[in-house]
Amino acid sequence: MAQELPQRAQVVIIGGGVIGTSVAYHLTELGWTDVLLIEQGELSCGTTWHAAGLVGQLRASENGTRLVQYSTGLYERLEAETGLATGFKRCGGVTVARTHDRMIQLQRTAASAEAFGLECELISPAEAQERYPVMQVDDLVGAIWLPGDGKVNPTDLTLALAKGARLRGAKIAEHVRVLDVLVDAGVVTGVRTDQGDVQADIVVNCAGQWAKAIGAMCGVTVPLHSSEHFYVVTDPFEGVHRDYPVLRDPDGFTYFKEEVGGLVVGGFEPVAKPWVAPDQIPYPFEFQLLDEDWDHFSILMENAILRIPVLEQTGIRKFYNGPESFTPDNQFILGESPEIKNFFVGAGFNSVGIASAGGAGKALAEWIVEGEPTMDLVGVDIRRFAKFNGNNQWLRARVGEILGLHYSVPWPNREFDSARPFRRSPVHQVLADRGACFGSRMGWERPNFFAPAGTPAAIEYSWGKQNWLPWLTEEARATRDAVAVYDETSFSKYLVVGPDAEAALQWLCTADVAVPIGRAVYTGMLNSHGTYEADITVTRIAKDEFLLVSSAASTERDKSHLRRRMPVGLNANVVDVTSAYAVFGVMGPKSRELLQRLSRADFSDEAFAFSTSQEIDLGYATVRATRITYVGELGYELYVPSEFAVGVYEDLMQAGAELGVRNAGYYLLEALRLEKGYRAFGRELTPDYNPAEAGLLFACKLKSDIPFLGREAVEAARAAGVGRKLVSITVDDADAVMWGGELLRRDGVGVGLVTSAAWGPTLGSSVGLAYLRRPDGQVVDPQWLASGEYQVNIGGRFHSVTVHQRAPFDPSGERIRGNYQIADNN
């Protein structure tokens, strides 16, 4: 029956699946009751209804885990609130390992659970079989038990969330199709439907696999693509009961969930089967499935029978092939779009939508109400993608790999194989010919390391020391003792120009950027909570022009922050020049000599001091050289117009041959920045941490009276003292390898996780950064940090670590200043 739509609403939500109804529920819980949810069919009719309904709590990040923990609590209480059952049950979860490598992953999972306060137990194969008697365990090496895991009925959950929203005033309109998203001057104003227009202050796109097409209506890129996703429901058989836990066998690509005395048997096959392009999904498509494909499902069924042999004699009641949408990086999409103000997206949940829906809906609702995220959502923020990520051919090639990653071993530093190469620097082929092994960041092909001639430039994944470590050590020797060249073209680069450029950046940046022309300043950019939105380098290149340099992954996020947080009325513009310039890092004690061989510029300390920048001649080219470093050595970053990049690179390598110049990659950049204790956005610097905790108050202009965004919160944090503190750590055992994410204990009690880690070639040990917090909640001070005994859990084994309150390498920074007659480390 047709429903009369209101002419306007404060918020319009597009999509009546579990995500859309969760957003509506949480908006009304926060007091926003003028909410209209529009569904083109019936609630849950798209993807939600055929989801398997697994609710596994543990995720790769702390905040991801917190979101699902919230979901489970919500699902438990919804029936009492709404009178509608959700089918949620905490049945527990067993995950088994067939291989030693998988067992290391599970041991790391158990350590993360301890850090997150989540109950998790390492168990033997026999103990796993006690919890799941129909399983055979002869080929297993171990397992984990997560008693808090559960299952839920997706349709019932959706209806309960919808009723909860209605009870607080939300309106829900089914069988209403959105035809267009209305925009005026870059701000969303409503939606056009097949039953009339609805004006709105905010529009939220929760349209599932239709979200990309909805975004395209107003020029917003929502990069996702559907893939066929399979499971079967078996006949009931003896031994299975309603309290059976969820079983996951990732080495066999499969999961199992009890259903009416039988089992749901599904999984994530290594190579997926993409469905139609997002703009070709048929309409209507309500409560529909795709054709059965037993050939494609066979790898899952064979492994299921291996794990539960009785399935070979058990009938199949139903074959489900329901399309689901997947994103290019296997993380869902949340947040306000960078293209259109007040247009929000919650989509692309990569088969974890049911588990994530409660927490993700709450997080997005809080973002809408508060005007900014209330927690670190960088990993799922829509601004991690750019327009080029919306190419359907590229997405189709990538999605075939993404689905299979759910159950592949999550190797440290694992790179995507599909839809590459994508973005390439001008010297990409030159570096490939010199043995570069490339990784991918924001689509850029970046050299991770350089293999010797005649040796395959490939990563041999492992949890320990990987095959490239000896080559990294050689690159480090050149950087520390001679000179190395890094292709850093993927750096994000922007110009802020206009008469009010300085005033705009003074408000946006923590540091004082009212500096002379030719001066570079390291600074953070914060939100109103005083926590990090970016860390950048700002170089003044003219009275009304500044060059900003940031990490490769932050381009869209940074531009959005700069434009949205710039004070109203200022005459300043942001121009993205990322692709206009190649960047070469020339680093090491002989870097000055190398550049001097190619240029008439004066590179002496007096003429070219640290944190200064000049335009110089370099061979036939004119480039910008900035004396700065991310590796802790005398060094320069060269900003080279792209058309001159190959020539400049060739000149550097030819002129540096007698000096021992080498190519170096991002693995070494990461290792050397950790030896120096340098922070990175997205790991040490996130919306969860402030400058006081990060040890970066020196980069805040607190001694001045100049206001900046977040200043009051930073001053309050400084005055109160910090409850967690960033420190450097080194592992005492030279054979132990940290990768990041490891649990740290102090005197036997968990006090933090490693945020970043690498093998430190100069130190001869693993080195990392970690935030330490006191279990008693008191202020973390130097005395407390120095007084404990620390250990790190690496793959289930505890190793002693040394905590450093200064950089482990060259803590006084003498080498940066070009003073090399000192010891290499402390």
Side-chain angles (χ1 to χ4, degrees):
M1 179 182 296
Q3 303 166 69
E4 184 175 347
L5 292 179
Q7 291 186 343
R8 71 163 289 109
Q10 183 179 15
V11 182
V12 170
I13 299 170
I14 304 171
V18 70
I19 305 301
T21 53
S22 180
V23 174
Y25 174 93
H26 287 97
L27 281 172
T28 59
E29 187 177 55
L30 292 169
W32 285 29
T33 57
D34 187 11
V35 174
L36 172 66
L37 186 149
I38 295 173
E39 165 55 48
Q40 65 179 345
E42 297 179 15
L43 294 180
S44 85
C45 73
T47 297
T48 297
W49 74 275
H50 61 70
L54 308 184
V55 186
Q57 293 189 79
L58 195 58
R59 294 291 181 259
S61 69
E62 181 171 2
N63 282 345
T65 301
R66 299 284 179 240
L67 292 180
V68 182
Q69 284 181 303
Y70 170 81
S71 293
T72 57
L74 172 66
Y75 302 166
E76 283 183 315
R77 70 174 189 265
L78 266 179
E79 183 173 359
E81 178 185 336
T82 66
L84 295 181
T86 65
F88 179 73
K89 183 176 183 57
R90 286 187 190 266
C91 56
V94 176
T95 302
V96 301
R98 302 187 188 186
T99 66
H100 175 68
D101 284 331
R102 179 71 67 180
M103 196 63 217
I104 291 177
Q105 179 209 339
L106 296 188
Q107 288 165 334
R108 291 174 64 90
T109 297
S112 296
E114 179 181 342
F116 301 157
L118 195 66
E119 190 176 353
C120 178
E121 181 184 355
L122 289 162
I123 58 177
S124 67
E127 290 171 317
Q129 191 175 46
E130 289 175 6
R131 289 170 170 82
Y132 213 95
V134 299
M135 168 176 57
Q136 76 83 17
V137 299
D138 295 346
D139 60 334
L140 299 182
V141 297
I144 57 172
W145 166 244
L146 287 156
D149 280 6
K151 57 185 179 180
V152 71
N153 183 299
T155 297
D156 290 347
L157 171 61
T158 302
L159 296 177
L161 288 166
K163 184 175 181 182
R166 280 195 187 103
L167 289 173
R168 288 191 288 263
K171 299 179 179 65
I172 296 178
E174 297 179 291
H175 303 291
V176 177
R177 190 182 187 194
V178 172
L179 304 176
D180 201 2
V181 176
L182 307 177
V183 177
D184 182 37
V187 182
V188 75
T189 60
V191 296
R192 176 157 294 152
T193 79
D194 57 1
Q195 297 181 31
D197 291 358
V198 180
Q199 300 300 308
D201 299 323
I202 291 169
V203 174
V204 190
N205 177 4
C206 298
Q209 59 186 341
W210 291 268
K212 187 174 190 294
I214 293 292
M217 293 176 179
C218 57
V220 171
T221 300
V222 185
L224 51 78
H225 195 292
S226 295
S227 179
E228 300 184 30
H229 189 41
F230 308 90
Y231 67 84
V232 298
V233 181
T234 75
D235 289 334
F237 61 94
E238 187 176 352
V240 176
H241 54 79
R242 67 184 302 271
D243 293 327
Y244 242 40
V246 173
L247 172 64
R248 296 175 177 85
D249 180 11
D251 293 311
F253 322 116
T254 48
Y255 62 78
F256 307 84
K257 183 193 80 166
E258 182 275 338
E259 180 126 333
V260 198
L263 290 177
V264 169
V265 181
F268 299 93
E269 64 275 20
V271 180
K273 187 179 179 184
W275 193 39
V276 298
D279 55 357
Q280 296 175 348
I281 298 174
Y283 174 81
F285 191 81
E286 302 172 31
F287 297 110
Q288 291 189 42
L289 295 172
L290 306 180
D291 293 338
E292 297 179 359
D293 188 340
W294 283 99
D295 288 340
H296 195 82
F297 189 72
S298 63
I299 188 172
L300 301 181
M301 201 67 217
E302 290 165 4
N303 277 281
I305 292 170
L306 173 65
R307 186 59 47 228
I308 302 177
V310 69
L311 290 177
E312 193 165 16
Q313 288 83 44
T314 303
I316 302 297
R317 293 174 56 191
K318 179 71 174 176
F319 187 114
Y320 286 83
N321 178 7
E324 289 189 49
S325 58
F326 292 81
T327 65
D329 63 357
N330 210 22
Q331 299 294 326
F332 57 83
I333 296 172
L334 217 62
E336 186 177 10
S337 74
E339 299 97 335
I340 301 297
K341 190 174 181 181
N342 294 341
F343 184 85
F344 289 79
V345 179
F349 277 79
N350 306 289
S351 282
V352 298
I354 302 302
S356 303
K362 180 176 186 289
L364 188 54
E366 290 176 346
W367 191 336
I368 292 167
V369 171
E370 297 293 331
E372 60 188 6
T374 57
M375 63 189 301
D376 175 15
L377 296 171
V378 171
V380 299
D381 194 318
I382 189 172
R383 294 173 295 174
R384 72 190 188 273
F385 294 120
K387 188 176 182 64
F388 52 73
N389 291 118
N391 180 292
N392 283 338
Q393 294 182 76
W394 182 81
L395 286 167
R396 183 177 182 85
R398 173 58 59 84
V399 76
E401 179 182 14
I402 289 295
L403 182 144
L405 293 181
H406 280 262
Y407 280 178
S408 66
V409 175
W411 297 115
N413 67 322
R414 189 196 187 282
E415 296 286 353
F416 292 114
D417 296 320
S418 58
R420 294 179 58 195
F422 196 29
R423 303 175 78 185
R424 288 176 256 193
S425 90
V427 296
H428 176 272
Q429 190 57 49
V430 178
L431 299 181
D433 294 342
R434 290 174 177 256
C437 175
F438 293 96
S440 179
R441 189 73 163 170
M442 192 56 170
W444 285 104
E445 297 293 325
R446 312 194 310 180
N448 284 332
F449 59 82
F450 289 81
T455 305
I459 304 169
E460 296 175 8
Y461 293 113
S462 76
W463 291 110
K465 294 181 178 179
Q466 296 186 356
N467 63 305
W468 43 265
L469 196 58
W471 312 329
L472 179 102
T473 302
E474 291 301 311
E475 295 173 21
R477 185 172 293 116
T479 306
R480 295 290 192 219
D481 298 339
V483 60
V485 174
Y486 297 76
D487 179 16
E488 299 168 337
T489 299
S490 63
F491 283 177
S492 299
K493 302 171 280 287
Y494 333 107
L495 295 176
V496 176
V497 298
D500 297 325
E502 179 186 302
L505 290 174
Q506 283 290 63
W507 169 250
L508 291 165
C509 295
T510 62
D512 187 353
V513 299
V515 294
I517 294 171
R519 184 67 186 271
V521 178
Y522 170 70
T523 181
M525 292 197 295
L526 310 180
N527 51 44
S528 62
H529 305 295
T531 57
Y532 279 94
E533 293 294 330
D535 78 315
I536 59 176
T537 300
V538 177
T539 302
R540 186 167 209 157
I541 58 178
K543 182 178 183 297
D544 58 356
E545 187 171 357
F546 294 79
L547 171 66
L548 280 58
V549 180
S550 185
S551 66
S554 301
T555 311
E556 299 304 317
R557 179 189 183 86
D558 291 342
K559 290 189 297 183
S560 173
H561 182 80
L562 288 163
R563 290 166 177 161
R564 299 265 173 99
R565 296 299 185 183
M566 190 178 293
V568 175
L570 294 187
N571 185 353
N573 294 295
V574 181
V575 183
D576 184 357
V577 293
T578 298
S579 298
Y581 294 93
V583 182
F584 298 122
V586 183
M587 301 291 159
K590 297 181 181 179
S591 57
R592 176 184 282 146
E593 183 179 352
L594 171 53
L595 296 184
Q596 196 66 77
R597 292 185 175 198
L598 293 168
S599 176
R600 295 173 298 169
D602 183 351
F603 292 93
S604 67
D605 286 332
E606 296 75 19
F608 208 141
F610 183 72
S611 289
T612 63
S613 182
Q614 303 177 23
E615 273 201 349
I616 64 169
D617 61 283
L618 199 72
Y620 293 149
T622 300
V623 307
R624 174 164 295 279
T626 302
R627 186 174 165 189
I628 201 166
T629 181
Y630 202 44
V631 300
E633 299 291 337
L634 174 68
Y636 305 81
E637 288 177 357
L638 306 179
Y639 295 85
V640 184
S642 294
E643 66 270 29
F644 293 106
V646 173
V648 167
Y649 173 82
E650 291 172 343
D651 286 346
L652 289 170
M653 300 309 289
Q654 183 176 355
E658 294 179 358
L659 303 176
V661 69
R662 287 184 69 104
N663 289 296
Y666 271 83
Y667 283 178
L668 181 62
L669 196 72
E670 175 78 352
L672 298 189
R673 72 102 177 167
L674 288 171
E675 291 189 337
K676 281 293 294 179
Y678 291 151
R679 287 76 165 136
F681 182 74
R683 285 172 284 178
E684 290 76 44
L685 307 179
T686 77
D688 276 348
Y689 298 104
N690 62 52
E693 296 166 324
L696 293 178
L697 287 174
F698 71 88
C700 298
K701 47 186 175 246
L702 298 179
K703 293 181 180 179
S704 76
D705 60 358
I706 304 170
F708 61 87
L709 180 58
R711 175 170 181 148
E712 292 77 10
V714 173
E715 289 175 328
R718 180 180 64 170
V722 297
R724 51 194 178 183
K725 188 69 175 176
L726 189 68
V727 298
S728 291
I729 59 169
T730 51
V731 183
D732 297 344
D733 182 353
D735 292 325
V737 179
M738 294 191 302
W739 292 102
E742 292 84 1
L743 170 70
L744 280 169
R745 285 181 176 176
R746 180 186 183 274
D747 298 336
V749 178
V751 291
L753 286 175
V754 179
T755 53
S756 301
W759 175 257
T762 318
L763 301 174
S765 67
S766 282
V767 59
L769 287 164
Y771 281 98
L772 301 186
R773 66 190 73 191
R774 292 182 63 155
D776 60 9
Q778 298 299 307
V779 170
V780 175
D781 55 39
Q783 292 73 30
W784 182 84
L785 289 172
S787 61
E789 292 186 4
Y790 295 89
Q791 291 182 311
V792 63
N793 185 332
I794 300 178
R797 295 184 178 182
F798 282 92
H799 299 265
S800 296
V801 299
T802 300
V803 169
H804 305 261
Q805 297 186 53
R806 300 181 70 196
F809 176 80
D810 186 26
S812 61
E814 291 297 316
R815 297 173 70 95
I816 296 171
R817 292 186 284 272
N819 299 331
Y820 283 93
Q821 53 274 52
I822 61 171
D824 279 357
N825 56 54
N826 64 340

